[in-house]
Amino acid sequence: MTAAALRALHHGRAADDPLVLPGPWDAESARIFAAAGFPALATPSAGIAASLGYEDGSTPPDEMFAAVARIVRAVDVPVTADLEAGYGLPARELVERIAATGAVGCNIEDSDHRTGVIADVDRQADRLAEIRAAAGDELVINARTDVFLRAAGGPGDDQADPAAQVEEAVRRGLRYAAAGADCVYPILAPPQVLRELAERIGLPVNALVLPGGLSPRKLGTAGATRITFGGGLHRRAMAGVRGLAEELRAG
């Protein structure tokens, strides 16, 4: 499974046929999604963290890379890995560790889980360029920007100006594209701005499926090329396990 194969899946798609990437949290869930016919998979940091007993953002890097490697070994489709902000690893070491798992893509986000602070755009673009230089064409880089997640006034600020968020997402997306990103992930961007973001940035846009929100097909029609689920599929699966536990307890 190559980066070229994964990269090609992002292009030439009809609006109502986006690239849907289920998020496996372990080898067995990966096998199930691959057997269902999905052409590639995208590991979620939140789902893997929960399966290993950690809060999202606190999984030790060694355990995250080991989990990704187990998922890759279990399937014969390309796997891209959510590696948060890259765990502070130098670009070359990060690329080497991704390659060792067998994954051919990665998410790299531009904010810190612990502080909620968004990275300086120049510094983040430089980091992405370093990752691209270290990986060459052998890695599909999904550059996540958290401007819609971390509102303009800081974490939890619900007074942010939506138009300003769009402009900031475009500014960052253009810089990340120039740095070598293959795809931009403006997480939690409202569906009505997805097409504008894609057209202005000039890269495929990744959209997140939310509970009660638009379906993958409708997100594609709204302008997204790539669809992921974060930890949502793991949460749904665990809700089923919880129901089973309650049934067993009730006798």
Side-chain angles (χ1 to χ4, degrees), residues 11-202:
H11 298 282
R13 309 195 70 90
D16 62 351
D17 181 33
L19 175 61
V20 178
L21 300 176
W25 53 92
D26 61 12
E28 184 62 14
S29 60
R31 290 191 187 103
I32 290 168
F33 291 132
F38 290 97
L41 304 175
T43 70
S45 66
I48 289 179
S51 75
L52 296 175
Y54 296 102
E55 295 293 326
D56 189 22
S58 63
T59 307
D62 287 352
E63 294 196 44
M64 181 62 76
F65 286 114
V68 171
R70 289 191 292 271
I71 287 168
V72 173
R73 287 197 301 269
V75 296
D76 59 359
V77 299
V79 175
T80 179
D82 180 353
L83 298 176
E84 303 173 289
Y87 308 113
L89 296 172
R92 183 163 297 281
E93 181 179 353
L94 177 62
V95 168
E96 289 172 351
R97 297 199 68 173
I98 295 169
T101 70
V104 295
C106 67
N107 278 13
I108 298 293
E109 61 198 49
D110 64 3
S111 75
D112 188 310
H113 273 276
R114 297 164 298 175
T115 66
V117 174
I118 298 182
D120 174 81
V121 66
D122 294 330
R123 185 176 301 113
Q124 186 69 6
D126 287 347
R127 177 156 172 74
L128 292 172
E130 290 169 358
I131 294 170
R132 172 56 69 212
D137 291 334
E138 300 305 311
L139 188 68
V140 175
I141 300 173
N142 188 32
R144 190 178 112 175
T145 182
D146 290 357
V147 297
F148 296 96
L149 175 65
R150 317 288 187 191
D157 178 6
D158 59 2
Q159 304 302 315
D161 178 354
Q165 288 179 299
V166 169
E167 292 305 315
E168 180 63 8
V170 169
R171 184 173 80 99
R172 287 176 175 268
L174 289 170
R175 291 297 307 280
Y176 301 165
D182 296 282
C183 186
V184 172
Y185 182 14
I187 188 170
L188 299 186
Q192 61 268 26
V193 305
L194 292 173
R195 187 169 306 284
E196 177 183 357
L197 293 174
E199 290 175 352
R200 293 179 64 187
I201 295 170

